[in-house]
Amino acid sequence: MANIRSKPEIAKKLLQLLERTSFSREQMGKYVNRLFESFKWEGVPYVESEKDTYIVRIYERGMVMLEKRMKQTEEVIYWLLEDIIFTAAHVELLERHGVDNKQTHLNYTNEVTQELVQSVEKAFQQIGDPYLHWHQMGKRQELEKMEPRKKR
């Protein structure tokens, strides 16, 4: 039987891991606390649990775009880390270039994209394995891959 953790336990683990990075603690707290909000941000993974399974959902325009049932706590934590770290790195990148992507926009040149990739990689290096390994192996794409619907 899987050892399913509560949202507060997952949030605590995320914060412990994110403290290893150079990102602001305050900002990391805001991203982790999204798990508890009733509003579902676009493209962000949200976790619920039932019995021995996690249900991870990603919303687009208020509708569930992707739903996965998972048994492994570490994979759920990794998926959330990927989203939080990418978001934090992207926000830092926007701030460094003095744009907000609302009024002013960033030109995503190869150099800018490389800055973003390096920032995400650095954060995973600071956190370490197994999350670093999974990041390098592209596990996020595997987790977010759509599965064919089961026939009834």
Side-chain angles (χ1 to χ4, degrees), residues 85-128:
I85 289 170
F86 179 84
T87 300
H90 190 242
V91 168
E92 277 190 356
L93 183 70
L94 294 175
E95 289 171 354
R96 231 181 358 263
H97 287 270
V99 298
D100 62 10
N101 267 7
K102 293 176 187 171
Q103 303 291 327
T104 54
H105 298 279
L106 187 58
N107 181 11
Y108 291 91
T109 62
N110 287 340
E111 292 80 16
V112 168
T113 302
Q114 193 58 33
E115 274 185 73
L116 181 58
V117 167
Q118 288 171 348
S119 182
V120 170
E121 181 75 17
K122 176 184 173 189
F124 274 103
Q125 287 173 353
Q126 291 168 328
I127 290 172

Side-chain angles (χ1 to χ4, degrees), residues 123-150:
F124 274 103
Q125 287 173 353
Q126 291 168 328
I127 290 172
D129 285 332
Y131 311 106
L132 171 61
H133 176 73
W134 288 343
H135 170 73
Q136 292 171 333
M137 300 308 293
K139 190 169 185 70
R140 182 178 188 168
Q141 288 76 19
E142 173 190 324
L143 293 172
E144 293 183 2
K145 182 178 163 192
M146 298 289 276
E147 295 174 352
R149 291 188 174 229
K150 295 177 182 170

Side-chain angles (χ1 to χ4, degrees), residues 15-119:
L15 288 170
Q16 288 171 343
L17 292 167
L18 291 164
E19 281 181 359
R20 299 178 189 173
T21 70
S22 54
F23 295 120
S24 140
R25 282 188 180 166
E26 181 183 341
Q27 196 66 22
M28 294 303 94
K30 288 178 184 178
Y31 295 141
V32 169
N33 285 330
R34 289 188 304 196
L35 286 173
F36 302 100
E37 294 178 1
S38 58
F39 178 80
K40 305 302 184 207
W41 295 93
E42 303 257 325
V44 174
Y46 289 92
V47 181
E48 301 293 333
S49 61
E50 66 179 35
K51 295 182 187 174
D52 64 346
T53 303
Y54 294 103
I55 304 162
V56 181
R57 293 183 181 105
I58 296 179
Y59 293 81
E60 291 289 339
R61 297 185 180 163
M63 304 292 292
V64 176
M65 178 190 88
L66 176 69
E67 180 175 298
K68 291 272 186 155
R69 295 182 177 277
M70 302 171 69
K71 302 256 184 218
Q72 300 300 317
T73 302
E74 294 305 315
E75 286 184 343
V76 171
I77 289 171
Y78 161 73
W79 196 350
L80 296 170
L81 281 173
E82 275 283 354
D83 178 71
I84 292 167
I85 289 170
F86 179 84
T87 300
H90 190 242
V91 168
E92 277 190 356
L93 183 70
L94 294 175
E95 289 171 354
R96 231 181 358 263
H97 287 270
V99 298
D100 62 10
N101 267 7
K102 293 176 187 171
Q103 303 291 327
T104 54
H105 298 279
L106 187 58
N107 181 11
Y108 291 91
T109 62
N110 287 340
E111 292 80 16
V112 168
T113 302
Q114 193 58 33
E115 274 185 73
L116 181 58
V117 167
Q118 288 171 348
S119 182

